[in-house]
């Protein structure tokens, strides 16, 4: 059973460009969570999605950030007009349970904004 | 506001010793308390988790102790090994997880 897959693993963008981060959950998992991790810090919750639905986006910045989890295909975290402060590691996690239990993390995407 | 407070920030333990990491939470609605292990450049890996209906859970060398009244829980790593050297995160939540700021554990041979 393959784990959570994320791509790309490393992404470099210039200020003002768009960043698209992809996450394929574990087989059988229909709940996806996105987190951001700054150097030497813990993970900060961003958004929780089920197929075709955003369940909780309370941790998402109000502007430039969006997420989706379509019926087919991976979940996408999209950052428009990136700024230097967006540089971080972005992790997604998947779970077979609705309540946030047993979240399994992918390897992360390290975004660098130059 | 930090929902979950973790200490210490770093910890050095001799091989064979016991590593203890502590966490405290505020929200009494939290009902799931996992611990994650993260190696540099990798994603966090679920290590062990506990629900508030038990006070202790043990899996191999790893034990979670949970004190509901004090709103605290801790991770104990028995017989610590150099391979345990990593950053450990506690988390707590109900519908989503709030993470502590991490403890960098170094086990000296």
């Amino acid at each position: 059973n393959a784990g959570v897959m994320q791509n790309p693993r490393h992404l470099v963008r210039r200020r003002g460009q768009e960043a698209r981060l992809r996450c394929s959950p574990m087989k059988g998992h229909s709940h996806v969570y996105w987190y951001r991790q700054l150097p030497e810090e813990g993970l900060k919750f961003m958004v929780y999605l089920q197929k075709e639905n955003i369940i909780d986006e309370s941790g998402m910045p109000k502007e430039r950030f969006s997420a989706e989890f379509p019926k087919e295909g991976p979940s996408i975290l999209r950052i428009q007009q990136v700024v230097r402060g967006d540089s971080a590691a972005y992790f997604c996690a998947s779970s077979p349970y609705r309540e946030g239990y047993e979240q399994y993390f992918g390897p992360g995407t390290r975004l660098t904004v130059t | 506001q930090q929902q979950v407070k973790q200490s210490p920030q770093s910890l050095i333990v001799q091989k064979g010793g016991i590593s203890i990491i502590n966490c405290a939470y505020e929200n009494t609605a939290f009902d799931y308390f996992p611990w994650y292990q993260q190696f540099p450049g990798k994603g966090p890996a679920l290590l062990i988790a506990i629900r508030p209906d038990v006070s202790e859970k043990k899996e191999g060398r790893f034990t979670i102790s949970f004190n509901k009244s004090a709103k605290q829980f801790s991770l104990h790593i028995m017989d610590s090994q150099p391979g345990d050297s990593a950053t450990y995160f506690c988390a707590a939540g109900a519908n989503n997880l709030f993470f502590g700021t991490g403890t960098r554990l170094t086990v000296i041979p």
Side-chain angles (χ1 to χ4, degrees), chain B residues 31 50-56 66 68:
Chain B
D31 63 355
I50 198 168
R51 299 281 186 97
D53 53 344
V54 296
S55 60
E56 186 175 281
F66 184 80
K68 188 174 181 178

Side-chain angles (χ1 to χ4, degrees), chain A residues 12-75:
Chain A
V12 179
R13 285 286 178 266
R14 291 200 183 102
R15 278 181 297 171
Q17 291 185 319
E18 178 180 287
R20 281 188 178 230
L21 289 61
R22 295 174 184 78
C23 170
S24 296
M26 289 178 70
K27 186 177 180 181
H29 290 193
S30 58
H31 306 270
V32 167
Y33 304 79
W34 284 94
Y35 294 85
R36 177 162 62 178
Q37 185 177 40
L38 294 170
E40 305 299 320
E41 292 188 14
L43 296 100
K44 296 283 193 276
F45 167 76
M46 299 180 74
V47 62
Y48 162 35
L49 310 104
Q50 291 181 26
K51 287 281 187 182
E52 299 184 280
N53 285 303
I54 297 174
I55 306 301
D56 181 352
E57 56 182 348
S58 58
M60 285 275 272
K62 293 288 185 283
E63 298 177 350
R64 301 188 297 107
F65 285 73
S66 62
E68 62 177 10
F69 190 13
K71 187 176 180 181
E72 301 290 337
S75 175

Side-chain angles (χ1 to χ4, degrees), chain B residues 39-106:
Chain B
F39 293 103
K42 305 292 185 183
L46 180 61
L47 204 55
I48 186 172
I50 198 168
R51 299 281 186 97
D53 53 344
V54 296
S55 60
E56 186 175 281
K57 183 175 181 180
K58 183 176 180 179
E59 289 184 3
R61 296 185 294 111
F62 301 92
T63 299
I64 298 180
S65 296
F66 184 80
N67 186 329
K68 188 174 181 178
S69 61
K71 293 187 287 185
Q72 294 176 349
F73 58 111
S74 60
L75 175 70
H76 295 232
I77 306 175
M78 313 299 286
D79 187 27
S80 299
Q81 299 296 314
D84 296 331
S85 297
T87 300
Y88 292 81
F89 292 96
C90 64
N95 291 315
N96 57 54
L97 292 177
F98 295 90
F99 281 77
T101 50
T103 296
R104 181 173 291 183
L105 171 66
T106 303

Side-chain angles (χ1 to χ4, degrees), chain A residues 74-95:
Chain A
S75 175
I76 307 284
L77 179 68
R78 183 183 178 204
I79 311 172
Q80 295 178 291
Q81 299 174 345
V82 296
V83 301
R84 289 229 171 102
D86 296 333
S87 295
Y90 293 83
F91 291 95
C92 82
S94 73
S95 171

